[in-house]
């Protein structure tokens, strides 16, 4: 069996969010996350986000396809499943906030377009991109070799996954054998599902029990199942796991894994329909906000500085078709 590039304490994000996070209604709706070194990140949960902005860059805006430039809006699609700190609802329960919309807004600024966020179910992100209804997905979408058949990618953040379980479970996940015969929840249609299915298949080939994979409609249902013992583990994006660990204080991270498999750092990317002419502009805009410092400010305000990339790439190597 191939050795897995796995570390139970790999993400500095997870380490930085392990103490406490609590709402402060008297302060406009905030969460303050305490790090082990004593520093704190105060996250604004209110509808008044005071988002970081950046100027239009004419030379990059000129790379946008004429049809989109004429329309004047950037139709951005994001998942409707509330998952802090990626995409979730503010304290008014209707305003979409999080690191994903913040970065999408910055890209729209550079392109000189009015950002329009559309929230849909995960599978409808891709349906909408396929039909041309949406220009670009900013929704924690992993760059994968399979997806490249239909989509172009402009990378903007590292992709790491985490196994979350109830505190005191004694579980540690360092490879496929640790989830053999265990009940693990995962979101359907995601790269983490693909990885978990492959781990289950590896276990069967090695004479071990398969993974008992469970699916739930939304994250709240998943966490209820975890609390009640109906599942033992939940495999999902590491940022959301770390945020939940800090805010709920009832769970812990017992293993992390690159979203691109055992030999490659996973990447999250702005996703657009293949060959529609937009990916170059997206790539240039992301590199502009990296260079001008607004990208780092957005990641810092959501406690995700450890997921920064040095530059955006167009269609970089992604999760292989078979993770072996």
């Amino acid at each position: 069996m191939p050795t897995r590039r796995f570390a139970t304490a790999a993400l500095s994000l997870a380490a930085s969010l392990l103490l406490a996070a609590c709402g402060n209604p008297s302060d406009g709706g905030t969460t303050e996350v305490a790090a082990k070194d004593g520093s704190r990140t105060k996250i604004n949960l209110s509808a008044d986000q005071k988002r970081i902005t950046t100027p239009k860059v004419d030379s990059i805006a000129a790379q946008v396809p004429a049809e989109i430039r004429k329309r004047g809006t950037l139709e951005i699609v994001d998942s409707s499943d509330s998952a802090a700190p990626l995409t979730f609802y503010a304290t008014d329960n209707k305003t979409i906030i999080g690191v994903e919309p913040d970065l999408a807004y910055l890209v729209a600024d550079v392109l000189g377009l009015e950002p329009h966020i559309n929230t849909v179910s995960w599978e409808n992100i891709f349906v909408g991109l396929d039909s041309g209804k949406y220009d670009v997905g900013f929704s924690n979408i992993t760059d994968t070799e399979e997806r490249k058949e239909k989509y172009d990618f402009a990378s903007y953040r590292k992709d790491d996954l985490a196994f979350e379980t109830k505190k005191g479970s004694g579980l540690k996940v360092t490879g496929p054998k640790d989830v053999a015969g265990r009940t693990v929840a995962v979101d359907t249609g995601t790269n983490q599902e693909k990885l978990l299915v492959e781990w289950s298949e590896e276990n069967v080939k090695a004479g071990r029990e398969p993974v008992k994979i469970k699916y739930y409609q939304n994250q709240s249902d998943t966490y209820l199942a975890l609390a009640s013992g109906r599942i033992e583990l939940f495999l999902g994006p590491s940022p959301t796991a770390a945020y939940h660990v800090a805010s709920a204080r009832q769970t812990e991270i017992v293993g992390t894994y690159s979203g691109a498999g055992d030999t490659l750092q996973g990447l999250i990317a702005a996703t657009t329909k293949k060959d529609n002419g937009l990916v170059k502009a997206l790539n240039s805009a992301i590199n502009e906000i990296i260079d001008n410092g607004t990208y780092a400010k957005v990641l810092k305000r959501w406690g995700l500085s450890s997921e920064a990339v040095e530059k955006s790439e167009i269609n970089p190597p992604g999760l292989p078709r078979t993770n072996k």
Side-chain angles (χ1 to χ4, degrees), residues 8 162 230 283:
T8 56
R230 284 179 284 141
N283 168 253

Side-chain angles (χ1 to χ4, degrees), residues 11 34 38 46 127 166 249 284:
L11 260 194
S46 73
V127 172
K166 285 197 296 186
R249 308 187 198 184
S284 297

Side-chain angles (χ1 to χ4, degrees), residues 13 16-17 20-22 30-45 85 243 246 297-305:
L13 168 66
S16 69
L17 297 182
C22 56
T30 64
T31 284
E32 191 172 68
V33 181
K36 286 186 175 180
D37 63 3
S39 63
R40 291 176 176 270
T41 297
K42 182 175 283 190
I43 295 177
N44 176 14
L45 303 179
Y243 190 97
K297 290 178 181 178
V298 165
L299 291 188
K300 184 178 180 181
R301 88 184 282 236
W302 295 106
L304 296 177
S305 296

Side-chain angles (χ1 to χ4, degrees), residues 234-303:
F234 173 39
L235 175 60
S238 196
T240 58
Y243 190 97
H244 183 255
V245 165
S247 58
R249 308 187 198 184
Q250 296 174 345
T251 59
E252 60 185 347
I253 292 171
V254 293
T256 58
Y257 187 64
S258 166
D262 60 334
T263 61
L264 186 67
Q265 172 59 57
L267 293 170
I268 300 299
T271 306
T272 189
K273 188 176 181 180
K274 194 167 187 66
D275 298 328
N276 69 355
L278 183 59
V279 71
K280 183 179 178 182
L282 295 170
N283 168 253
S284 297
I286 295 167
N287 280 321
E288 168 64 20
I289 63 175
I290 290 173
D291 291 343
N292 70 22
T294 53
Y295 167 81
K297 290 178 181 178
V298 165
L299 291 188
K300 184 178 180 181
R301 88 184 282 236
W302 295 106

